[in-house]
Amino acid sequence: MFRATLKSLLARKVRLILSGLAVVLGVMFVSGAFVLTDTLGRSFDAVFADAYAGVDVNVAAKPKLAVGEAEGGQVSPAFPADVVGRVRAVPGVAEATGMVNADGARLIGSNGKVVTSFGPPQLGQNWIGESDLVKLREGRAPQADDEIVVNAALATAAKVKVGDRVGALTAFESKRRDFTLVGVFGYSGGRDSIGGVNEIAFTTPAAQQLMLGKPGTFNSVTVRAAGGVTPEALRDDLTRALGAQYEVKTGEQLSADAAASLKEGLSFFNKVLLGFAAVALLVGTFLILNTFSIIVAQRTRELALMRAIGASGRQIIGSVVLEALAVGLIASVLGLGAGIGVGALLAWAFGTFAGGLALAGLGVPPAAVVSAFAVGMLITVVAALLPALRAARIPPIAAMQDVATPDRPLTKITVSGAVVTAVGGTLLAVGLTGNAGGATLQVILAGVLFTFIGVALLTPLLSRPVVSLLGGLFAWSVPGRLGRLNSGRNPRRTAITAAALMVGIALVTGVTVILDSAKSSIAGAAESTVDAQLVIAGAQTGPRPPTFDPAVVDRAAAVPGVNTVLGVYNDNAVVDGDRTYVVALTDLAAMGQIYHTTAQAGTIATLRPDQVALSVSGAKELGKSVGDRLTAQFVRGEGPHTYTVTAVLPDDRTIGSIMLPKEAGAEFTSPQPFTALVQLTPGTAVSQVQPQLEALVADSPEVSVADRASFIEQQTSGFDTLLTMIQILLALAIVIAVLGIINTLALSVLERTRELGLLRAIGLRRAQTMRMITVEAVVISVFGALLGVVVGTGLGAAVVRALQDEGITDLVLPWSQIGIFLGLAALIGVVAAALPAIRAARLNILGAIAHD
């Protein structure tokens, strides 16, 4: 049996390679995800090990609020300069240096635009001199408060040189301030930066004012231990001396913590790649199942003959499973190799995109190898199991008959499909309605998977009528009528082939429905609720939005033609012990006017420093009403503040659920407003006021003034970018579906060799034969796309319906996209039919008629 299986495998190399390609692509994403995260993880380990190489111990004040990397990174509170003296006085301290080191320093390049960073921070710090790690390459250290030095990577990106007068924006001053660039520094080993970080170094007084907002303060102390004192022992001594309000860590701890924080962010990329790998493998399962089903059908007489000469059903199953194992093994090896290449390419792209991250050597973690072989071989064997069981049931008598595979009843598969679809629908309902507890995402994903499998099981029931209807479009010619009949000949085969394309199209359609609905809902809400004709804001390119000078709000209100202006600050805070999102407003009364808000309780008036307004949902969540009090702790605050609730406002007429007075904004991560809504007096033209407002933010190159329509378009453009990325990644599923159609048609042509010979013999020309095969492929692919569009639209509509309470109220069906998908499906059918059609047209007529 082993030799017979090997010969059978070698005799069908092409068809098995085609089915194995699906596994190769899926395994490639699985192994590539692990290679990517391992390579980048070790790269960040090396980066932070270098950054803290000269630090034995570091002292910092404990943050009031934990802030993740995606939210802008942790903000270290400032503390008085005398803490440095207290540290220096602890026995075992050889040297203690007060440090200013904070994110938010942005250099303005020679082109007048801010040098942006899409990953690494943009640090502003005090210059403390050269060391073994840091060396000046040009110029000198800053000596006056209007002098700076920058690292070589930033100087190159900004196209500036020593002696230039350059502008910069800082954490506590969002309008441009000009400095003289007096020096450029680099790092040991010829590096222009560490991890692609942009750095601006000021004098210590300038850094304290611009980056911490408080003269005479630092936010960390770097400590060198005296000879014979270990960092761990010194850490413990400093902890006892300074008290619980300070965090004291060794350099190794700082390095590990910083790397761990970034690795947590990298896990997102890992999950995305694994998600698309799961889609590829799901689609590949349909392809492998179809391939082995057709092979078993074509080998009916061969397998029956083997049964007749003594092979048991178990041996037949083993033979088919062995073929699957061989295909899975080869595909896993190729997929692992491709995954290593993809992981290396993505790591290189990430390093380049992140500003020149020095990559560690490429590594292949054990998880990549284990997952590649486990996933690849398991998927192949599982997909081949049903055809193997079918092969074992072939009776020996079939060896003496001219066997045609009968079209079995669809009752069992239809009932199974209905049950599985019902399970998927139930899981989706539970997940989307928020009744899944902490496993909402897992329940929704399981619901999507069951729904896809259920619809795939129901597809044979739909295939005959739908394929017949679609084929009718081509029935005006003999090749068209023949292609229509062939595509409906075997509903199961057609259904499985179409299901592969259905998955990819359904996912793209569903995501398109959700994102387009979100865009429409956001735009509609802004148009109907916000009576502001101009918006002062910037395009967010990092975790923190651009901000501007608070004085701009007051100056804008004084511009002729302006009725009122509302400045908005935003941040995370701990409110009554729970972390939540809050906003601070320059004037609650202005918000009431711009949003046409009427208080459900209390009064709408300018908030005093100790007052807060809540939305209805915010009041319900906090259990508060007018007159109650709540406490709020901010990122830069010394201690929690107590506020009295003065108004409760409708959810759809507010800018946030917790609205604080503008004084609270001074203790936010970015203590400047990020948006200002400008309402014009009736009859005032936008073109009359906009230039005057633009002049107010001329010193803030990240910020612009846009009319309402342009601002909405700017804010929702991210949905288009996200959709494009998803479509590109899901194109993998469509590629696999094309392979599936090619494989099915190639095997079908082989199966119908004698039939094709007879058709040629009675007058069917080569071109007509090719058109017949093409019609069959187009009908199958359009059927799959039609299923995908219907399923994707249904899933997308269900998600939109579940998100109504979150403000996604509009259901938008992407009709143009649906038309494109169906047109693309027809094109896919034409492309997939090319090789099988050419092969069918080239058949030798006499040889085909004599084919057994």
Side-chain angles (χ1 to χ4, degrees):
M1 283 301 295
F2 178 78
R3 288 195 298 271
T5 300
L6 183 61
K7 288 182 179 180
S8 173
L9 184 63
L10 294 175
R12 298 169 176 83
K13 295 185 290 292
V14 175
R15 70 189 72 170
L16 293 175
I17 286 174
L18 285 173
S19 62
L21 278 176
V23 181
V24 169
L25 293 173
V27 169
M28 177 185 73
F29 270 90
V30 172
S31 55
F34 287 109
V35 170
L36 171 67
T37 50
D38 176 76
T39 301
L40 291 181
R42 288 184 294 105
S43 300
F44 284 122
D45 285 339
V47 164
F48 291 113
D50 277 349
Y52 295 107
V55 179
D56 288 332
V57 177
N58 185 80
V59 177
K62 283 188 177 180
K64 305 295 183 182
L65 182 67
V67 179
E69 289 296 327
E71 300 165 314
Q74 187 64 62
V75 176
S76 297
F79 51 77
D82 60 14
V83 173
V84 180
R86 292 172 57 193
V87 170
R88 193 176 289 125
V90 173
V93 173
E95 182 181 347
T97 306
M99 300 289 296
V100 174
N101 203 318
D103 194 6
R106 293 92 73 201
L107 192 70
I108 300 172
S110 59
N111 59 359
K113 297 182 179 179
V114 173
V115 179
T116 57
S117 172
F118 296 94
Q122 297 178 289
L123 297 179
Q125 56 197 26
N126 61 325
W127 177 258
I128 58 172
E130 295 181 285
S131 64
D132 292 339
L133 180 65
V134 179
K135 296 290 183 183
L136 277 172
R137 293 183 182 176
E138 302 176 53
R140 59 173 175 80
Q143 298 171 353
D145 289 349
D146 66 342
E147 295 178 345
I148 59 172
V149 297
V150 301
N151 66 13
L154 181 54
T156 301
K159 297 181 181 179
V160 295
K161 61 184 184 299
V162 172
D164 287 351
R165 194 71 175 167
V166 298
L169 309 174
T170 59
F172 278 81
E173 196 168 292
S174 292
K175 65 179 182 179
R176 174 181 179 134
R177 174 179 285 206
D178 289 330
F179 299 86
T180 300
L181 180 62
V182 297
V184 175
F185 64 92
Y187 291 89
S188 60
R191 293 168 294 176
D192 291 343
S193 71
I194 291 184
V197 174
N198 293 334
E199 294 169 284
I200 302 176
F202 308 87
T203 62
T204 294
Q208 291 169 334
Q209 179 62 49
L210 298 174
M211 300 308 302
L212 301 180
K214 296 179 181 179
T217 59
F218 296 101
N219 63 349
S220 68
V221 181
T222 298
V223 183
R224 296 291 299 272
V229 179
T230 66
E232 291 75 17
L234 184 55
R235 174 199 60 197
D236 296 341
D237 290 342
L238 286 168
T239 299
R240 285 190 291 269
L242 296 175
Q245 66 268 38
Y246 291 92
E247 285 186 337
V248 185
K249 296 182 178 181
T250 65
E252 288 185 0
Q253 284 179 302
L254 286 175
S255 176
D257 290 348
S261 178
L262 281 173
K263 287 178 183 178
E264 185 177 349
L266 286 177
S267 65
F268 171 76
F269 294 100
N270 196 41
K271 291 174 182 176
V272 169
L273 291 176
L274 291 177
F276 285 105
V279 173
L281 291 169
L282 176 62
V283 176
T285 301
F286 291 117
L287 172 53
I288 297 166
L289 174 62
N290 214 19
T291 300
F292 277 92
S293 295
I294 296 173
I295 290 173
V296 167
Q298 291 178 354
R299 294 173 59 197
T300 298
R301 291 187 68 183
E302 174 190 331
L303 293 171
L305 183 60
M306 294 177 69
R307 291 295 309 277
I309 62 176
S312 66
R314 181 175 296 179
Q315 287 177 308
I316 296 295
I317 293 174
S319 173
V320 177
V321 170
L322 185 59
E323 287 189 29
L325 281 171
V327 172
L329 178 62
I330 295 170
S332 297
V333 172
L334 295 176
L336 177 60
I340 294 172
V342 168
L345 180 62
L346 290 175
W348 171 83
F350 186 94
T352 303
F353 186 69
L357 173 66
L359 295 176
L362 183 67
V364 183
V369 179
V370 173
S371 61
F373 286 97
V375 170
M377 297 180 71
L378 179 64
I379 289 294
T380 312
V381 170
V382 168
L385 196 56
L386 283 177
L389 294 173
R390 196 177 306 140
R393 291 196 292 266
I394 295 174
I397 193 67
M400 296 177 283
Q401 299 174 349
D402 187 11
V403 177
T405 305
D407 198 8
R408 292 170 291 143
L410 300 176
T411 305
K412 290 183 179 180
I413 195 171
T414 301
V415 172
S416 300
V419 171
V420 174
T421 304
V423 171
T426 302
L427 290 172
L428 282 172
V430 171
L432 294 174
T433 53
N435 295 319
T440 299
L441 179 60
Q442 292 86 338
V443 171
I444 291 175
L445 291 176
V448 170
L449 178 62
F450 274 89
T451 300
F452 278 136
I453 295 174
V455 172
L457 292 173
L458 291 173
T459 303
L461 181 67
L462 303 172
S463 64
R464 268 208 180 118
V466 177
V467 165
S468 178
L469 182 63
L470 292 173
L473 300 174
F474 305 95
W476 48 269
S477 66
V478 171
R481 287 195 294 274
L482 290 173
R484 173 191 182 187
L485 293 172
N486 288 334
S487 59
R489 177 184 293 186
N490 191 322
R492 294 172 185 266
R493 184 179 302 178
T494 299
I496 295 174
T497 306
L501 185 59
M502 174 200 74
V503 173
I505 297 292
L507 288 173
V508 173
T509 303
V511 171
T512 304
V513 168
I514 295 168
L515 295 182
D516 283 356
S517 298
K519 283 180 60 178
S520 176
S521 300
I522 292 171
E527 290 286 349
S528 62
T529 63
V530 182
D531 185 14
Q533 290 72 43
L534 290 168
V535 180
I536 303 173
Q540 187 168 346
T541 58
R544 296 178 184 173
T547 58
F548 50 88
D549 187 353
V552 168
V553 176
D554 296 328
R555 293 170 187 164
V559 171
V562 172
N563 187 31
T564 189
V565 181
L566 172 65
V568 184
Y569 305 70
N570 72 328
D571 204 2
N572 286 289
V574 175
V575 178
D576 279 355
D578 293 324
R579 179 177 168 143
T580 187
Y581 177 81
V582 299
V583 297
L585 308 177
T586 53
D587 187 358
L588 183 67
M591 190 208 74
Q593 185 172 331
I594 290 174
Y595 278 77
H596 299 295
T597 305
T598 302
Q600 289 197 2
T603 57
I604 298 177
T606 301
L607 294 173
R608 296 200 307 265
D610 61 345
Q611 292 180 331
V612 63
L614 303 175
S615 68
V616 171
S617 59
K620 182 178 179 181
E621 184 175 348
L622 292 170
K624 303 293 184 183
S625 58
V626 172
D628 291 342
R629 294 185 176 185
L630 58 81
T631 60
Q633 173 65 61
F634 307 121
V635 171
R636 297 185 186 274
E638 294 297 330
H641 296 269
T642 301
Y643 295 94
T644 301
V645 178
T646 186
V648 176
L649 312 177
D651 287 331
D652 59 345
R653 296 287 172 175
T654 64
I655 203 166
S657 59
I658 302 174
M659 292 154 282
L660 297 157
K662 65 179 180 180
E663 289 81 4
E667 297 185 5
F668 285 5
T669 301
S670 296
Q672 295 97 16
F674 76 101
T675 298
L677 304 176
V678 182
Q679 183 188 66
L680 305 182
T681 56
T684 302
V686 168
S687 58
Q688 175 186 336
V689 177
Q690 188 169 358
Q692 299 179 68
L693 297 182
E694 288 173 343
L696 297 179
V697 293
D699 287 337
S700 300
E702 295 176 301
V703 178
S704 60
V705 181
D707 59 54
R708 182 167 56 185
S710 300
F711 177 73
I712 293 171
E713 178 64 27
Q714 180 189 75
Q715 296 302 304
T716 58
S717 61
F719 290 113
D720 296 326
T721 303
L722 177 61
L723 179 60
T724 300
M725 293 174 59
I726 292 173
Q727 288 174 337
I728 291 172
L729 289 170
L730 285 177
L732 171 66
I734 296 174
V735 169
I736 297 174
V738 173
L739 294 176
I741 297 172
I742 293 173
N743 210 21
T744 299
L745 290 177
L747 293 170
S748 182
V749 166
L750 181 63
E751 188 178 47
R752 304 198 315 253
T753 299
R754 188 175 183 185
E755 175 188 317
L756 291 169
L758 289 172
L759 288 172
R760 291 293 311 284
I762 61 175
L764 193 69
R765 297 188 300 275
R766 285 188 173 183
Q768 290 178 312
T769 302
M770 294 179 67
R771 287 205 300 274
M772 178 184 70
I773 300 296
T774 302
V775 167
E776 184 178 351
V778 169
V779 169
I780 292 174
S781 59
V782 171
F783 173 49
L786 193 60
L787 276 176
V789 165
V790 172
V791 173
T793 301
L795 290 174
V799 173
V800 170
R801 175 66 181 83
L803 294 175
Q804 276 193 339
D805 292 340
E806 305 299 324
I808 311 300
T809 56
D810 295 347
L811 175 61
V812 177
L813 300 183
W815 296 111
S816 60
Q817 292 273 17
I818 289 173
I820 291 172
F821 293 154
L822 294 177
L824 178 63
L827 179 61
I828 287 172
V830 172
V831 172
L835 291 177
I838 292 171
R839 181 176 180 181
R842 289 179 176 177
L843 286 175
N844 180 281
I845 297 176
L846 293 178
I849 294 173
H851 181 78
D852 187 3

